[in-house]
Amino acid sequence: MRKTLTALGLSAALITVGLTVPSAVQASTRCDQEWDAVPGDHRDGRVRIWRDIHCTNMLGYASGDDWDWGDGTGEIKSATNTVSSVMNNGNIGGYDVVAFYDYTGYDWRYGYTCLKPGQFYADSLEDDRFTKRTAGAHTGKTFSANDAISSHKWVTQGDCTNFLDGGN
């Protein structure tokens, strides 16, 4: 996850001393561009999702909750188990954290992870994991969040114990 100012500041510093910007910084700039594309304070009350890392190949966005990303209904359609980057453009206050679930119906027993509004986005879910499962055949195990999200819900920070990129 990259914050807008951090990635741009690093790019400016590297350019100032005449060095080439590393590809990871260039890639995170793509997420920064997506963030900046939302007018005003970048808060339009939506969660955004992309098929690939670094906010490429957008699959959709939603202002409300969606209990099943693969059922063809709701705001996010046909996205189950295909998402590799996410963004939180939710409005600040109250239910401004997005909880992503490894199972449909917001079933936290199979693992979840959250994204706070101040984290902006997770440019790659490859290193992120859901909470430990408390149900099913894989009870006690954790699984990667990359290409594994099946539903999302707007919650409060107090509803989460696990955050993408270990966000505070």
Side-chain angles (χ1 to χ4, degrees), residues 146-160:
N146 190 54
D147 291 336
I149 299 170
S150 295
S151 61
H152 82 275
K153 185 174 185 176
W154 291 95
V155 299
T156 66
Q157 184 170 331
D159 294 323
C160 298

Side-chain angles (χ1 to χ4, degrees), residues 30-129:
R30 173 78 178 121
C31 290
D32 291 337
Q33 291 168 348
E34 290 290 335
W35 176 262
D36 290 339
V38 178
D41 66 354
H42 314 289
R43 300 279 173 202
D44 62 1
R46 295 178 174 161
V47 59
R48 288 171 166 73
I49 61 171
W50 290 268
R51 177 178 310 280
D52 300 317
I53 62 172
H54 307 305
C55 303
T56 54
N57 297 315
M58 181 178 252
L59 291 170
Y61 53 83
S63 54
D65 304 334
D66 196 325
W67 74 284
D68 187 344
W69 284 9
D71 67 357
T73 66
E75 294 178 275
I76 296 180
K77 299 169 177 43
S78 303
T80 294
N81 300 333
T82 62
V83 174
S84 293
S85 51
V86 296
M87 183 175 290
N88 181 346
N89 297 98
N91 296 312
I92 303 294
Y95 293 89
D96 59 3
V97 175
V98 184
F100 298 99
Y101 300 88
D102 190 17
Y103 207 75
T104 60
Y106 326 123
D107 197 336
W108 58 270
R109 299 173 305 152
Y110 293 92
Y112 74 90
T113 189
C114 297
L115 183 64
K116 296 178 195 178
Q119 291 177 278
F120 306 129
Y121 56 79
D123 59 355
S124 173
L125 299 178
E126 293 174 330
D127 294 328
D128 291 297
R129 301 188 74 74

